Amino acid sequence: GAVVSQHPSRVICKSGTSVKIECRSLDFQATTMFWYRQFPKQSLMLMATSNEGSKATYEQGVEKDKFLINHASLTLSTLTVTSAHPEDSSFYICSASGTATGNTIYFGEGSWLTVV
Amino acid sequence: AQSVTQLGSHVSVSEGALVLLRCNYSSSVPPYLFWYVQYPNQGLQLLLKYTSAATLVKGINGFEAEFKKSETSFHLTKPSAHMSDAAEYFCAVSRNSGNTPLVFGKGTRLSVIA
């Protein structure tokens, strides 16, 4: 299957700072990327959908000014958590799809964010 | 709106026994259905998908699922469980394949007992 890579896999940041998570499609052009958040032992909650070159579409209840999503190229999307607080600590997972994947959605490895 | 219900948050089977993980969906349009597996602290790996072709879908690692429209079900099965199958399994539905986000069930944790 296609490969989606996230970086960093784990990050610890201080409360009030910002942190950026990258999601890259390594062997295909990702026209659409999705960002999910997963709390321990729970399911995935969709945060936003981004199409390359367009503004992300956020799900209801997700603060777009806090969770900045950029999808500036067909292989890279970034999620920036601004002014992070301890309650933002979570597992963030990106996924991507494109015509080359048969429109199947592939997931990254996930990124653990801990805000202290 | 679309939704997925996974019956049983935790399923425990003996090594070598049949694995059956249940998934029922709700969709106002013909659905695309997926099963993903998640190992601890990792992302999701696609096991198999149904996209309106054959109703019996074969996936990786010996898993398969059958789409039953009359029962709105897409249960995941494997004839013989292996210790390495222990993981979290998610059923998901979407309206389209790739361009619309997946809606996930709550997940079923599979334990395999030696």
Side-chain angles (χ1 to χ4, degrees):
Chain A
V3 180
V4 176
S5 180
Q6 276 184 247
H7 179 80
S9 57
R10 290 182 179 272
V11 58
I12 300 173
C13 71
K14 291 185 177 181
S15 188
T17 64
S18 296
V19 61
K20 180 185 289 186
I21 300 171
E22 294 186 346
C23 177
R24 294 182 183 272
S25 56
L26 300 186
D27 52 2
F28 68 99
Q29 292 185 324
T31 51
T32 306
M33 286 185 167
F34 307 93
W35 285 94
Y36 290 84
R37 182 174 181 176
Q38 185 180 31
F39 291 103
K41 299 188 185 302
Q42 295 189 26
S43 189
L44 285 76
M45 292 174 45
L46 179 68
M47 298 176 68
T49 301
S50 71
N51 292 297
E52 185 268 336
S54 303
K55 287 184 178 180
T57 300
Y58 289 81
E59 295 299 297
Q60 191 172 7
V62 178
E63 299 176 61
K64 59 183 179 182
D65 295 330
K66 180 170 186 62
F67 299 99
L68 302 179
I69 291 172
N70 182 282
H71 189 173
S73 79
L74 284 170
T75 59
L76 174 64
S77 176
T78 59
L79 167 66
T80 301
V81 183
T82 63
S83 187
H85 288 104
E87 56 264 31
D88 299 326
S89 299
S90 188
F91 191 53
Y92 293 88
I93 308 177
C94 75
S95 61
S97 68
T99 53
T101 67
N103 289 324
T104 295
I105 297 173
Y106 290 91
F107 283 78
E109 312 96 322
S111 300
W112 276 107
L113 169 63
T114 302
V115 184
V116 298
Chain B
Q2 296 180 302
S3 66
V4 168
T5 301
Q6 289 184 242
L7 298 176
S9 60
H10 182 209
V11 171
S12 185
V13 300
S14 298
E15 191 174 19
L18 171 71
V19 175
L20 171 61
L21 304 182
R22 299 178 186 274
C23 172
N24 289 89
Y25 69 91
S26 172
S27 178
S28 57
V29 298
Y32 289 79
L33 292 159
F34 306 81
W35 275 100
Y36 285 86
V37 60
Q38 184 180 34
Y39 296 99
N41 300 317
Q42 294 186 27
L44 274 70
Q45 181 182 9
L46 178 68
L47 281 176
L48 49 81
K49 64 176 180 178
Y50 167 78
T51 57
S52 76
T55 56
L56 181 62
V57 181
K58 294 187 183 298
I60 62 171
N61 301 339
F63 285 95
E64 63 181 40
E66 186 173 7
F67 172 71
K68 292 187 176 181
K69 184 177 179 180
S70 61
E71 299 177 7
T72 61
S73 69
F74 190 57
H75 301 332
L76 181 70
T77 61
K78 181 174 180 178
S80 177
H82 192 271
M83 297 297 288
S84 61
D85 295 326
E88 190 83 18
Y89 290 81
F90 291 96
C91 182
V93 63
S94 74
R95 295 193 310 273
N96 192 342
S97 182
N99 297 325
T100 55
L102 298 170
V103 175
F104 285 90
K106 293 188 175 182
T108 298
R109 182 163 60 92
L110 175 66
S111 297
V112 181
I113 304 168

